[in-house]
């Protein structure tokens, strides 16, 4: 089942300024950046620590690349801040089906590609006490990519 907090997603208007805040304030450095065209975001993963299961914990900073993206709509409604929490799992397929069986809406029929080659799905916030929740099976992490 779920093994760790994989990341906390933070929606922002200006990715570069937000990265600089976390670097200057907390000393967090960018581990990985990418543009996810499907989700309409540019993101930076700031690695916080490693974990015993070979994964890590991150802050994921998300800047929308288009106005019709989910993150852009969320920012327009809520402003900058915590967007979602993601839990790590060794098997996103099995765990999402188990959770679906408990009556929680899983937003994707099949897990999709996420950051750094991971496989992800989301759980409906109305079924998770108002928290958009992501399940993540990380790809093996060998070295930082920018």
């Amino acid at each position: 089942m779920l093994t760790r907090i994989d990341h906390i997603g933070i929606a922002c208007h200006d990715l570069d300024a937000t990265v600089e805040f976390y670097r200057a304030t907390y000393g967090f450095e960018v581990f990985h950046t990418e543009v996810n065209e499907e989700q309409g975001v540019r993101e930076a993963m700031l690695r916080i620590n490693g974990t015993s299961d070979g994964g890590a914990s991150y802050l994921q900073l998300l800047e929308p690349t288009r106005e019709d993206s989910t993150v852009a709509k969320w920012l327009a409604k809520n402003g900058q801040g915590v967007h979602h929490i993601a839990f790590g799992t060794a098997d996103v397929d099995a765990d999402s089906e188990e959770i679906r069986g408990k009556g929680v809406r899983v937003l994707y029929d099949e897990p999709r590609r996420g950051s750094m080659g991971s496989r992800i799905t989301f759980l409906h916030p109305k079924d998770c006490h108002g928290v958009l929740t992501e399940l993540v099976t990380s790809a093996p992490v060998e070295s930082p990519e920018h």
Side-chain angles (χ1 to χ4, degrees):
M1 193 55 149
L2 307 180
T3 59
R4 68 183 183 285
I5 295 175
D6 184 84
H7 67 270
I8 297 175
I10 299 172
C12 61
H13 293 292
D14 183 335
L15 184 66
D16 297 327
T18 306
V19 164
E20 178 54 25
F21 169 80
Y22 281 97
R23 188 202 61 72
T25 306
Y26 305 117
F28 298 152
E29 296 294 337
V30 173
F31 182 80
H32 177 85
T33 61
E34 71 180 82
V35 174
N36 185 319
E37 296 293 344
E38 180 184 0
Q39 294 181 17
V41 295
R42 184 169 76 107
E43 65 179 79
M45 297 294 276
L46 309 179
R47 189 170 192 262
I48 307 306
N49 67 333
T51 61
S52 62
D53 65 357
S57 295
Y58 302 90
L59 287 181
Q60 179 187 46
L61 307 179
L62 301 159
E63 175 190 68
T65 59
R66 58 179 197 263
E67 291 184 23
D68 68 337
S69 74
T70 303
V71 171
K73 292 174 186 176
W74 190 89
L75 275 167
K77 181 179 177 182
N78 301 292
Q80 298 186 112
V82 174
H83 179 262
H84 67 274
I85 187 167
F87 295 109
T89 172
D91 189 342
V92 69
D93 297 274
D95 286 343
S96 63
E97 284 307 309
E98 181 179 335
I99 290 169
R100 185 188 316 265
K102 294 177 180 178
V104 175
R105 286 174 281 180
V106 178
L107 299 184
Y108 302 152
D109 290 332
E110 297 280 329
R112 298 181 181 177
R113 184 193 176 283
S115 299
M116 302 185 297
S118 64
R119 296 187 70 244
I120 66 166
T121 196
F122 285 90
L123 309 178
H124 200 292
K126 289 185 179 177
D127 297 342
C128 299
H129 297 268
V131 178
L132 179 61
T133 303
E134 183 178 3
L135 304 180
V136 178
T137 296
S138 299
V141 177
E142 295 180 19
S143 64
E145 298 175 23
H146 292 279

